[in-house]
Amino acid sequence: KHKMARFQRIFSQGQGTDTPLMDTAEHIHISSLALLKMLKHGRAGVPMEVMGLMLGDFVDDYTVKVVDVFAMPQSGTGVAVEAVDHAFQTKMLEMLRQTGRPEMVVGWYHSHPGFGCWLSNVDVQTQHNFEQLNQRAVAVVIDPVQSVRGKVVIDAFRTIDPQAMVLGKEPRQTTSNVGHLNKSSIQALIHGLNRHYYSISISYRKNELEERMLLNLYKKKWTDSLLVRDFEKQTEENENTVGSMLDLSKSYITAVEEEQKLSAEKLAIARVGKVDAKKHLEMDISSLMSENINDCLCSNVDRIIFRQILQKAAVTNYGNVDKDKPMA
């Protein structure tokens, strides 16, 4: 009877039970403005690492909101970065409050140009210093080199208390229902992920004003089509495009000859990893024709309009000169 009770107690506490666990994981909401600033700052510093502070609020026990960021005076290399002026943070926060930005510092960010998102020993120590000021401080790592349009390589971390690990306590993120949907990279696991620090899931939020700002970011005006390019640059680009078209034409002729000799299966294998000459040739022809037609129209409109303006100015000046002459 005692053995049976002991077995029941062991199995009730084991991993085989289906008892539901409360989701105690945190989630970080990063605004579009903060994400653009971090990415732009990171790309400006390549190949060096850069760092800055994140402003926002701790909405509740499960949500961290990041609304803005600003850069810090720093001493960085290709593999490490450290702040050098700690008084700058206080001065910057005072100036931001004067401009209507009352948020607090919720963490810091830095870049890893080209080698993924993880925390080095220096980064772990820096994050530990931030967590001494605020236990919920977050470290965000962004890779501006691997980030491409539509996908930003970014991750958020927080250190694991070694005393809690000794006592057998797990970090709160291990009970998350969504935090582990993002697969951890091998580089991060090698550099101490889930041993010295854990990852926090990130999402991006934008309000109506930020959405309008993003829509107008690369919006072209109708006057942009009337800009006349430099003639020498235009000639050089035309020569390069024509040279590229010549090479693509030769490649396309070779591809047509292969179609007549090889079967469909062998042809599909032979074209793996090769440039589609026909597609690139069509793109170059369309680009060359549209740009040159646009330049011709713009130069003619520019010449005609300015000629009329100069003629009117000359007539006006000639009339004024005649009026200023003394009568004989």
Side-chain angles (χ1 to χ4, degrees), residues 222-223 225-228 296-314:
W222 66 272
T223 54
S225 59
L226 299 178
L227 295 176
V228 181
C296 290
L297 289 174
C298 292
S299 59
N300 288 330
V301 169
D302 185 57
R303 180 175 57 84
I304 293 170
I305 291 176
F306 277 98
R307 179 180 293 180
Q308 293 178 354
I309 292 174
L310 291 174
Q311 287 177 353
K312 290 181 180 179

Side-chain angles (χ1 to χ4, degrees), residues 179-229:
H180 293 292
L181 294 180
N182 298 325
K183 188 177 180 180
S184 302
S185 64
I186 298 177
Q187 289 180 331
L189 294 173
I190 293 173
H191 290 90
L193 180 64
N194 299 329
R195 298 195 309 272
H196 304 296
Y197 54 89
Y198 61 92
S199 176
I200 306 175
S201 57
I202 299 177
S203 65
Y204 311 108
R205 295 291 180 92
K206 58 180 181 291
N207 53 31
E208 184 179 357
L209 184 61
E210 289 178 338
E211 187 174 358
R212 290 168 57 189
M213 177 195 69
L214 293 174
L215 290 174
N216 293 326
L217 188 59
Y218 298 108
K219 187 177 181 179
K220 292 185 177 181
K221 300 179 181 179
W222 66 272
T223 54
D224 294 339
S225 59
L226 299 178
L227 295 176
V228 181
R229 296 187 299 169

Side-chain angles (χ1 to χ4, degrees), residues 23-143:
D23 186 3
T24 60
E26 288 185 82
H27 202 76
I28 301 176
H29 299 314
I30 299 179
S31 67
S32 303
L33 177 64
L35 184 63
L36 281 174
K37 281 188 174 182
M38 286 190 287
L39 191 58
K40 187 175 181 180
H41 187 203
R43 286 185 174 176
V46 174
M48 301 297 180
E49 290 190 13
V50 298
M51 70 171 295
L53 297 181
M54 301 186 300
L55 298 176
D57 295 309
F58 297 104
V59 179
D60 51 33
D61 291 339
Y62 311 102
T63 308
V64 181
K65 182 175 68 173
V66 179
V67 296
D68 202 354
V69 298
F70 64 87
M72 286 281 290
Q74 59 213 252
S75 174
T77 63
V79 293
V81 62
E82 289 181 326
V84 295
D85 187 0
H86 299 284
F88 177 83
Q89 175 182 345
T90 306
K91 297 178 182 178
M92 190 67 180
L93 291 175
E94 291 178 358
M95 290 188 290
L96 287 171
R97 289 191 186 95
Q98 295 176 4
T99 60
R101 182 66 82 187
E103 290 82 8
M104 62 183 296
V105 175
V106 295
W108 67 294
Y109 74 91
H110 73 288
S111 64
H112 277 185
F115 46 93
C117 298
W118 43 272
L119 295 183
S120 64
N121 295 331
V122 178
D123 299 333
V124 171
Q125 184 61 40
T126 304
Q127 174 61 16
H128 182 67
N129 295 336
F130 273 92
E131 290 182 10
Q132 287 181 343
L133 300 175
N134 192 326
Q135 293 182 353
R136 296 185 62 192
V138 179
V140 171
V141 182
I142 187 168
D143 190 336

Side-chain angles (χ1 to χ4, degrees), residues 310-326:
L310 291 174
Q311 287 177 353
K312 290 181 180 179
V315 171
T316 304
N317 292 333
Y318 182 75
N320 293 334
V321 170
D322 290 343
K323 290 180 181 179
D324 294 337
K325 286 183 178 180

